[in-house]
Amino acid sequence: MDSSGLPKLKARKIDGHKGTFGTVGVLGGATGDPESNTARMIGAPALVAMGANRTGCGLVKIAARDSILNAILTLAPMATGFPYHEESIQPGSLEQVLERMSTQCDAMVIGPGLGTEVHLRRFVHHASTITNTNRCKSLVLDADALNALCMLDPIPAQWTLPTIMTPHPGEAKRLLTALAIDHDPAGDASQRSDACRALAKHFGSVVVLKGMHTVISDGECEWVCKHGHACLSTGGTGDVLAGMIASLVAQSIDDPNVDDFDAACIAVETHARCGELWSQNHHASAGLDPRDLIELIPGVLQQFRDDAI
């Protein structure tokens, strides 16, 4: 085990190829609408894809609206794209994209920059019913997937596939309020622990409650990250983390020593140490670009591999 108490990732196969190390799917991005004053978001899914790639998965696939997919792929050219057309956005079309992705990916991230329109809420509800008869074995629910989840009535309590939820304190508070659970995810260490555990138990999920000293719980086991830095408090770093988690999940499907809980912990620890390293290298406490963080991932993550150099 590493000094953090986390298990080691298995050594990379020397004769491996891009199909060996897992495929991550990303569903996100929003075109924005001036009439409804909603934002255009193309960076979030791109950062998820880049984070997943730098964490070592073999392939990344992105599903986004046709009008913004090329821009997203320009930012993340290692990925391939699944477009859907805005003029035909209905629950069925999004469901079809999700089902198609689930046959080609080992883990999927749903939500970064997705939006919370009514049809997207229904799409998130549909995601709760995907079965493991397809290739995908785990879902990472991030950002707008969590916001859309709060708006469903009823809120699905159990998901067919194993899920990892990655709320920041604000998203966690919205979920807890919608569930009428009285815990404070922005409080002291004990309160954050209670909030994280309550969400994990309710959804039967691994919950990553982000923030300084991120808390991770599956409802029974709990792990708290002791590393981190305030430079990580900037837009985009959470998207990178979601991609890192999905990447490790995809790579660890056949590893009996690393389950979804462990993969989330290793990703969070690596992410936190990357923030510390960036601060040290730049002699700065602010100004981090999420892409700078991404560049540090391979070297820091190598400490968690059995084939550490």
Side-chain angles (χ1 to χ4, degrees):
M1 282 194 172
D2 179 78
S3 59
S4 62
L6 299 176
K8 289 283 190 178
L9 301 167
K10 64 181 179 181
R12 304 270 285 188
K13 293 182 179 179
I14 195 169
D15 60 346
H17 51 81
K18 62 186 179 183
T20 304
F21 302 116
T23 299
V24 171
V26 184
L27 292 90
T31 58
D33 180 3
E35 292 186 5
S36 60
N37 197 32
T38 55
R40 174 167 296 203
M41 294 177 282
I42 63 171
L47 288 169
V48 173
M50 289 187 278
N53 173 260
R54 283 298 194 185
T55 305
C57 67
L59 293 166
V60 183
K61 300 175 183 289
I62 301 174
R65 298 182 188 186
D66 184 55
S67 62
I68 59 172
L69 181 58
N70 284 351
I72 295 170
L73 294 176
T74 299
L75 294 172
M78 79 294 295
T80 55
F82 287 75
Y84 56 88
H85 301 290
E86 289 173 77
E87 63 269 17
S88 61
I89 289 179
Q90 297 295 331
S93 64
L94 282 170
E95 290 167 3
Q96 290 167 10
V97 169
L98 182 62
E99 294 291 347
R100 186 162 69 249
M101 292 279 280
S102 71
T103 66
Q104 300 185 25
C105 301
D106 299 295
M108 292 193 293
V109 181
I110 299 176
L114 185 65
T116 56
E117 293 96 324
V118 172
H119 66 277
L120 295 172
R121 299 174 207 170
R122 292 195 292 262
F123 166 65
V124 170
H125 185 273
H126 177 72
S128 71
T129 67
I130 296 178
T131 69
N132 61 4
T133 55
N134 290 333
R135 176 173 170 179
C136 184
K137 301 304 179 188
S138 295
L139 302 177
V140 178
L141 306 180
D142 186 53
D144 280 335
L146 301 174
N147 292 327
L149 191 59
C150 296
M151 302 175 188
L152 295 176
D153 185 17
I155 297 174
Q158 301 293 321
W159 290 58
T160 308
L161 281 182
T163 58
I164 303 170
M165 298 183 171
T166 59
H168 58 55
E171 291 160 346
K173 184 62 176 178
R174 286 192 283 275
L175 276 170
L176 290 163
T177 299
L179 296 169
I181 298 175
D182 187 20
H183 288 303
D184 184 4
D188 60 26
S190 177
Q191 291 171 314
R192 281 172 52 78
S193 174
D194 289 344
C196 188
R197 184 171 59 254
L199 286 174
K201 284 185 175 181
H202 180 85
F203 288 107
S205 301
V206 174
V207 174
V208 179
L209 179 55
K210 296 182 289 192
M212 180 56 76
H213 299 155
T214 291
V215 183
I216 301 177
S217 175
D218 63 3
E220 299 296 333
C221 297
E222 180 179 293
W223 180 84
V224 179
C225 182
K226 302 301 184 184
H227 290 267
H229 195 279
C231 68
L232 293 168
S233 301
T234 189
T237 58
D239 301 313
V240 175
L241 177 61
M244 294 173 69
I245 293 171
S247 185
L248 291 182
V249 168
Q251 293 173 67
S252 302
I253 284 176
D254 297 323
D255 187 347
N257 296 318
V258 178
D259 59 17
D260 284 3
F261 179 86
D262 297 321
C265 292
I266 294 169
V268 165
E269 180 82 356
T270 300
H271 185 267
R273 292 189 187 187
C274 285
E276 293 176 344
L277 182 59
W278 181 90
S279 178
Q280 294 168 11
N281 291 344
H282 289 78
H283 308 286
S285 60
L288 176 137
D289 185 314
R291 292 169 294 183
D292 296 337
L293 180 72
I294 290 166
E295 293 302 311
L296 297 173
I297 293 171
V300 175
L301 182 61
Q302 191 65 30
Q303 302 170 51
F304 292 94
R305 295 196 184 277
D306 265 341
D307 56 350
I309 297 172

